[in-house]
Amino acid sequence: MSIDGIYDQNNIFKKIIRGEAPAIKVYEDDKHLAFMDIFPESRGHTLVIPKVDSRNYLDLPADVIGEYMFVVQKVARAVCNALSPDGVRIMQYNGEEATQTVFHVHFHIVPCYRGIPLTAHAKGAASRAELEEIAARIRQHIS
Ligand code: 5GP
């Protein structure tokens, strides 16, 4: 998939927005959703999406970016306050060549812990119970 293209109404994140696929949510409002990545690169890997149909950051309508970035920061702060990592990566990929695999725009919040390397992108699945436990902690820190 190139950077340009038609928005697929059946991509997995759109299904999560519509309630047709499950997600372990940590934050939701009428325009945004944040949920646990099921193939986390570290403990607490969280995804933040706007609900507007956009394949990537380049597609996003300019008037949604400000509030979306505010929500990304809000969720990143909650992740850090809940899990006390030593650092956090806030990342976003556009196009297959840039390793984007789900074509609904999203930011990754990936906590980094000293001495613990990140695991591979979009590979090993975490246990649902563990993700639920982490999500409950993060939810408590959403302001
Ligand atoms: P991308 O590669 O597009 O930047 O990131 C997509 C992310 O979505 C990956 O980190 C991958 O682990 C995650 N992911 C893929 N399928 C699902 C899913 O069904 N549910 C959730 N919660 N995350 C997913």
Side-chain angles (χ1 to χ4, degrees):
M1 292 253 200
S2 65
I3 296 177
D4 298 323
I6 306 274
Y7 180 85
D8 173 9
Q9 291 292 334
N10 286 316
N11 76 75
I12 185 64
F13 292 174
K14 183 68 178 184
K15 287 183 177 175
I16 288 171
I17 291 169
R18 285 198 298 258
E20 295 168 5
I24 300 171
K25 298 178 184 178
V26 298
Y27 175 81
E28 182 163 21
D29 64 31
D30 57 337
K31 294 182 218 139
H32 312 94
L33 183 58
F35 51 96
M36 305 313 296
D37 195 305
I38 56 170
F39 307 109
E41 294 175 34
S42 72
R43 176 177 161 78
H45 184 168
T46 304
L47 301 169
V48 186
I49 65 174
K51 292 185 179 176
V52 66
D53 293 354
S54 287
R55 285 167 56 88
N56 57 48
Y57 197 78
L58 307 181
D59 274 1
L60 263 182
D63 62 346
V64 311
I65 290 175
E67 203 178 347
Y68 178 36
M69 291 304 97
F70 174 75
V71 172
V72 169
Q73 186 197 55
K74 180 205 291 271
V75 175
R77 283 180 170 167
V79 168
C80 290
N81 289 332
L83 303 174
S84 302
D86 300 297
V88 63
R89 290 190 184 179
I90 299 175
M91 308 173 304
Q92 193 276 323
Y93 307 123
N94 303 281
E96 203 166 31
E97 194 57 32
T99 72
Q100 184 178 9
T101 56
V102 177
F103 293 87
H104 180 107
V105 63
H106 51 281
F107 271 77
H108 296 261
I109 296 170
V110 180
C112 301
Y113 305 93
R114 196 167 298 119
I116 305 177
L118 299 181
T119 54
H121 181 63
K123 290 268 162 44
S127 85
R128 183 167 183 98
E130 186 188 5
L131 293 180
E132 293 280 9
E133 184 264 326
I134 295 168
R137 286 173 179 236
I138 295 171
R139 269 184 233 116
Q140 285 178 351
H141 287 84
I142 296 279
S143 53

